[in-house]
């Protein structure tokens, strides 16, 4: 796991203390993979490799996968941004710290 993924797994364990550790590790890795997909999708649109409709289709797929992934954690939501220069995938929960320039209000950035 990447270092940000390990930190995310620790935060997820605090949000769902009764969830088994191996599932939390899987969830953290799932969020990391979704973040990479979101960033790659935004980069492809920015660089002109895909058209807007293809970008939207992929973004909707990422949104659906993120919605399924956050179901195990009460009050956790995922936000996908479209600017590839920074973090493109954020998790928001009142107990999650902010780890990007946007602070706690922008959420926990996953990369």
């Amino acid at each position: 796991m990447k270092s940000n993924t390990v930190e995310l797994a620790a935060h997820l364990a605090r949000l769902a203390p009764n969830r088994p550790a191996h599932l939390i590790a899987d969830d953290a890795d799932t969020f990391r993979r979704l973040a990479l997909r979101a960033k790659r999708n935004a980069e492809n649109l920015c660089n002109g490799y895909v058209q807007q409709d293809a970008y939207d289709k992929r973004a909707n797929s990422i949104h659906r996968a993120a919605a399924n992934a956050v179901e195990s954690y009460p009050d956790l939501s995922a936000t996908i941004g479209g600017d590839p220069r920074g973090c493109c995938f954020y998790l928001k929960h009142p107990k999650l710290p902010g780890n990007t320039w946007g602070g706690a209000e922008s959420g926990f950035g996953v990369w």
Side-chain angles (χ1 to χ4, degrees), residues 3-106:
S3 60
N4 181 259
T5 310
V6 173
E7 182 183 357
L8 175 59
H11 290 301
L12 292 176
R14 288 186 193 104
L15 296 180
N18 296 329
R19 190 159 172 79
H22 70 284
L23 294 179
I24 290 173
D26 276 350
D27 293 341
D29 194 50
T30 297
F31 290 130
R32 183 187 61 82
R33 283 186 276 116
L34 288 171
L36 290 174
R37 283 177 57 196
K39 186 161 188 72
R40 192 175 320 113
N41 193 35
E43 287 171 349
N44 287 342
L45 178 66
C46 184
N47 291 330
Y49 299 144
V50 297
Q51 298 297 322
Q52 185 69 43
D53 57 340
Y55 168 83
D56 291 338
K57 184 178 177 182
R58 290 181 184 127
N60 287 336
S61 171
I62 296 166
H63 279 286
R64 283 192 305 275
N68 289 337
V70 299
E71 286 179 350
S72 302
Y73 302 91
D75 300 325
L76 184 67
S77 63
T79 304
I80 298 171
D83 189 352
R85 295 174 294 176
C87 186
C88 290
F89 189 88
Y90 293 91
L91 293 174
K92 293 185 180 186
H93 189 279
K95 293 182 181 177
L96 277 179
N99 64 343
T100 62
W101 285 97
E105 54 272 353
S106 63

